[in-house]
Amino acid sequence: MADVQLKEIAKSFGTVEVIKGIDLEIGHGEFVVFVGPSGCGKSTLLRMIAGLEDISRGELRIDGRLCNDIAPRDRGIAMVFQSYALYPHMSVYDNVGFSLKLARVPREERDAKVRDAARILQMEHLLDRRPAQLSGGQRQRVAIGRAIVRHPKVFLFDEPLSNLDAALRVDMRMEIARLHQELGATMVYVTHDQVEAMTLADKIVVLDHGEVQQVGAPLELYHRPANLFVAGFIGSPKMNLLPVNVTGSRGRSIQIGSVDVMATPFDIGAAAAGAPKELVLGIRPHSLRVVAAGAAKIPAEVKLVEHLGNETVIKAQLASGAAVLAIVAGDAGLKPGEKVGLTFDRAEAHLFDAAGRRLLRSSETAGGRR
Amino acid sequence: MRKFLCLVAVVVLVFVYLFPYTWMVLSAFRYPADTFAIPPKLFFEISFDGFRNVFRQSVFGLYLMNSLIITLFSVAITMLVATPAAYALVRISRGGTAFLLTVLIARMIPAIALVVPIYIIGNLTRQLDTYQIMIVVTVAFNLPFAIWMVRGFFLDLPANLVDAARIDGASEWQVLTQVAAPLARGGIFATSVFVFVGAWNEFLFALILTSGRTTTATVALLSFRTSQGIEWDTISAGAFMVSLPVIVFAFIMQRYLVEGLTMGAVK
Ligand SMILES: Nc1ncnc2c1ncn2[C@@H]1O[C@H](COP(=O)(O)OP(=O)(O)OP(=O)(O)O)[C@@H](O)[C@H]1O
Ligand SMILES: [Mg+2]
């Protein structure tokens, strides 16, 4: 177990800066997930922690020790790759035991450790096979076994499950969660997959263009996204985003409205006085409710209805032509072409300024966190 | 139908490639009169005169041994240098390209341009007609090609394997010896076949730099062209024996060549 500290970490390939000064604290035994769009630098950041990429600028500390110039093998880390990266010319047993052999661990001790790792991952029966004789899920198990046999202080995972099919992915996800509990080790995990991030993480780090957009617990990111990027990235399907105008302000509250959205007051505390003229209103599909036409803040026409059994996905068009998604429980009994009204709870809606930052509600600024 | 056409094409190709060789082998086993008979004789009396002459007229056994010593040492040294060099060039990105281009340019200088300077150097250092000078020259001429070829096989290895080995605690040398080289084994053997053939067939430098003691078999063949004319059965018998080691070596390596080609598919 160890903590990991990143201070002003940056990375350039030639003249292109792909990681732009990242500050991050990863606590003892914490499960931290990096998410972000493709090419945002997740793998690069992970590889810098591993020591596979040089650090151009900044400080990396593992367990308090400055690690910038320390070789990967001396950092107390282990890494699992998306492509498994098993040695094809060695048996599973030798794959798992390779690091111990290099470290000149005596044969009996090595054997005990390899078998122990195999037992934890329930792959004792695979030890004599070659990687080519294993299924994708079994290969990933071996790759994880190769990591745990070293008893690393920090586990690094780079999209370990993305080569597996959906059902296996769920199994392995739970397996990794179990391992985290069992071993209590610090884990850093890169993924594209929202569900993996939300279910595994103690803390999610959202990256974009080599910069941290927000760090927080999964539900914190979901309920209080710091900016438009995080709002759009976390949560599936994506949050509906509608441009609105500020039509007036009174005291701590502003009034917003547009062709689509009828005038609605919002309490944004002291910021109300200097609020910009144009904002973006963000409402998650699950926060929209469908009511009778005319009685709601947002008039809409149903375009598409998808019945998923437990819930119904409704695609609707607003007055301006903008499309929104609403998801309601059960069977809504709606048909395409029907005129309806959409309504929402103001506590579940967000306002973003022109720079994309979310405006805090007065409950958040005055009383701090809920 | 297409299959049939393919077969015909293959047969024609094989015939075109193998005809001269077959003709040479046949010439080694018959009297020159039969070789030049018109129309060509399908059946002929088998003669071992050619082989007898080869050993009677020269110390051909020694020359074959010289060829073998020079070739085996050259192949071993070339591969022992080329493999780590190729690996380093794959792993080190900075300056690698410049080095590779330099190596290639060095390779483009025609051998004939270097024969005289090397002869003079050999003469000054009293190294003429020794194994050393032949081995050094052969290694020098084959190394650029070997580095380029092995590098290609290392480039084909998944980069994550090297990463995984480094994390597992392997030094660069251990990554090479325990992961990269075993996985590129087929490619390394394939390269060594090419180097073997190149070294074994070497003629120009052997002709100039050796005289008697370390003369190679390829050069020795020349001595069967006498003032009385060419002894076709003798020269063919010699050429046949010179060609054998190459075939044997390629045969031994064939297993690994196939293995090298299929390894990538498994990954
Ligand atoms: N060796 C390299 N040389 C130059 N540029 C690189 C190199 N490796 C990565 N990059 C660039 O750095 C950026 C970040 O790459 P990285 O692999 O970290 O992205 P990622 O977030 O892991 O993406 P993905 O989700 O697709 O795996 C990309 O724009 C990529 O093109
Ligand atoms: Mg990646």
Side-chain angles (χ1 to χ4, degrees):
Chain A
M1 261 209 279
D3 57 354
V4 181
Q5 288 173 309
L6 280 67
K7 216 158 120 196
E8 283 288 310
I9 290 279
K11 172 76 187 178
S12 307
F13 287 110
T15 57
V16 189
E17 194 168 50
V18 295
I19 300 289
K20 299 167 187 161
I22 285 186
D23 287 298
L24 189 64
E25 295 268 343
I26 298 170
H28 283 286
E30 216 171 13
F31 199 119
V32 173
V33 174
F34 294 169
V35 293
S38 189
C40 70
K42 306 180 291 289
S43 299
T44 305
L45 190 57
L46 197 72
R47 291 170 59 83
M48 285 161 86
I49 298 176
L52 296 171
E53 299 282 359
D54 292 335
I55 295 170
S56 307
R57 187 157 51 74
E59 285 181 6
L60 168 73
R61 285 175 192 280
I62 298 177
D63 229 0
R65 186 170 65 135
L66 186 65
C67 281
N68 286 40
D69 297 318
I70 291 180
R73 58 173 159 173
D74 299 323
R75 292 190 183 194
I77 51 106
M79 186 158 171
V80 176
F81 298 87
Q82 175 178 353
S83 60
Y84 320 128
L86 300 180
Y87 312 120
H89 58 306
M90 298 184 197
S91 67
V92 167
Y93 183 95
D94 289 336
N95 261 281
V96 176
F98 188 58
S99 60
L100 303 175
K101 203 163 152 192
L102 289 172
R104 300 180 194 286
V105 173
R107 181 179 294 272
E108 300 84 63
E109 190 184 336
R110 201 165 80 208
D111 188 67
K113 283 186 170 175
V114 170
R115 295 197 183 279
D116 201 41
R119 187 184 47 74
I120 293 175
L121 292 167
Q122 290 142 24
M123 55 173 201
E124 285 129 313
H125 58 295
L126 302 176
L127 286 175
D128 294 328
R129 297 208 198 158
R130 288 285 175 103
Q133 300 165 318
L134 301 175
S135 71
Q138 290 170 330
R139 280 181 211 187
Q140 199 50 281
R141 242 168 236 274
V142 176
I144 294 172
R146 194 169 61 179
I148 67 178
V149 77
R150 307 181 59 214
H151 292 289
K153 293 187 276 192
V154 182
F155 280 90
L156 306 173
F157 294 92
D158 192 355
E159 306 198 26
L161 307 185
S162 48
N163 281 4
L164 305 179
D165 65 43
L168 205 52
R169 208 177 297 175
V170 175
D171 287 350
M172 286 302 284
R173 194 175 81 212
M174 292 177 176
E175 190 100 333
I176 289 174
R178 178 179 69 90
L179 267 180
H180 180 235
Q181 281 179 351
E182 217 164 283
L183 305 174
T186 308
M187 294 190 172
V188 184
Y189 189 105
V190 168
T191 184
H192 267 111
D193 188 312
Q194 292 249 346
V195 183
E196 275 172 34
M198 298 297 278
T199 52
L200 287 171
D202 293 322
K203 192 154 94 182
I204 295 181
V205 179
V206 183
L207 294 169
D208 189 33
H209 289 111
E211 289 175 329
V212 173
Q213 298 296 318
Q214 190 173 4
V215 181
L219 289 183
E220 189 180 335
L221 264 55
Y222 185 84
H223 291 301
R224 292 194 288 280
N227 55 38
L228 264 180
F229 179 81
V230 178
F233 196 79
I234 300 286
S236 174
K238 271 180 72 162
M239 184 184 280
N240 297 303
L241 298 171
L242 301 169
V244 292
N245 299 316
V246 176
T247 51
S249 79
R250 190 153 47 87
R252 303 166 64 82
S253 106
I254 54 169
Q255 177 127 344
I256 59 150
S258 71
V259 211
D260 297 328
V261 186
M262 286 184 204
T264 312
F266 260 87
D267 185 358
I268 58 167
K277 282 265 149 287
E278 289 173 357
L279 297 173
V280 174
L281 174 67
I283 313 162
R284 296 201 183 277
H286 283 99
S287 302
L288 281 174
R289 273 163 311 180
V290 181
V291 293
K297 295 192 182 108
I298 308 176
E301 184 186 332
V302 176
K303 283 288 176 195
L304 198 73
V305 184
E306 291 175 327
H307 298 281
L308 302 180
N310 60 336
E311 57 186 22
T312 307
V313 181
I314 299 146
K315 193 171 177 189
Q317 194 176 41
L318 307 188
S320 67
V324 297
L325 276 188
I327 296 179
V328 296
D331 180 5
L334 292 169
K335 277 185 199 67
E338 216 170 308
K339 296 261 192 287
V340 294
L342 298 173
T343 164
F344 59 93
D345 187 346
R346 266 173 295 172
E348 291 177 8
H350 308 284
L351 285 174
F352 301 92
D353 67 15
R357 280 187 305 267
R358 189 170 68 96
L359 303 182
L360 298 180
R361 291 187 208 95
S362 58
S363 60
E364 287 172 283
T365 42
R369 295 173 170 195
R370 268 184 294 185
Chain B
M1 188 62 202
R2 269 191 56 179
K3 229 174 159 182
F4 177 74
L5 285 177
C6 271
L7 191 71
V8 171
V10 168
V11 168
V12 169
L13 260 175
V14 168
F15 186 76
V16 168
Y17 271 98
L18 286 187
F19 180 75
Y21 187 75
T22 315
W23 194 252
M24 182 198 83
V25 175
L26 292 178
S27 306
F29 288 99
R30 59 190 174 188
Y31 295 106
D34 288 339
T35 298
F36 292 103
I38 292 172
K41 279 189 180 172
L42 218 48
F43 300 99
F44 53 86
E45 195 181 338
I46 288 182
S47 133
F48 292 101
D49 278 5
F51 290 89
R52 238 171 268 130
N53 288 341
V54 165
F55 290 100
R56 196 179 305 138
Q57 293 178 16
S58 72
V59 274
F60 204 70
L62 171 71
Y63 300 149
L64 277 175
M65 190 50 79
N66 287 341
S67 277
L68 205 62
I69 288 171
I70 292 167
T71 301
L72 288 181
F73 273 96
S74 298
V75 170
I77 295 172
T78 303
M79 295 317 294
L80 282 178
V81 176
T83 306
Y87 178 73
L89 285 169
V90 170
R91 295 277 304 137
I92 303 168
S93 45
R94 203 177 310 149
T97 335
F99 179 80
L100 275 168
L101 284 176
T102 316
V103 158
L104 202 63
I105 288 168
R107 170 78 214 198
M108 285 172 186
I109 299 170
I112 193 81
L114 297 173
V115 165
V116 174
I118 289 176
Y119 180 84
I120 293 170
I121 292 170
N123 198 15
L124 288 176
T125 53
R126 305 188 172 285
Q127 295 294 314
L128 288 181
D129 201 16
T130 61
Y131 290 135
Q132 303 87 283
I133 194 164
M134 279 308 297
I135 291 170
V136 167
V137 168
T138 312
V139 168
F141 271 87
N142 282 291
L143 207 45
F145 156 78
I147 291 174
W148 269 85
M149 188 159 166
V150 175
R151 176 175 170 269
F153 289 101
F154 280 143
L155 280 176
D156 283 347
L157 293 182
N160 276 343
L161 279 180
V162 174
D163 294 338
R166 285 179 67 203
I167 286 177
D168 269 346
S171 62
E172 286 294 354
W173 181 250
Q174 285 170 321
V175 176
L176 171 63
T177 55
Q178 312 213 10
V179 178
L183 288 177
R185 191 169 74 165
I188 291 170
F189 285 145
T191 308
S192 69
V193 170
F194 282 95
V195 175
F196 184 100
V197 172
W200 184 264
N201 288 341
E202 209 289 316
F203 180 77
L204 184 60
F205 282 95
L207 182 69
I208 307 290
L209 300 179
T210 66
S211 51
R213 269 195 306 144
T214 58
T215 296
T216 60
T218 42
V219 172
L221 286 180
L222 213 58
S223 66
F224 303 124
R225 218 180 52 176
T226 63
S227 50
Q228 281 94 49
I230 299 173
E231 299 167 26
W232 285 107
D233 53 345
T234 316
I235 207 167
S236 294
F240 174 61
M241 285 188 284
V242 169
S243 71
L244 277 183
V246 174
I247 295 174
V248 170
F249 190 72
F251 241 83
I252 298 172
M253 289 302 187
Q254 191 185 30
R255 216 188 95 216
Y256 301 106
L257 296 185
V258 174
E259 176 196 280
L261 294 177
T262 45
M263 191 116 221
V266 175
K267 221 175 283 188

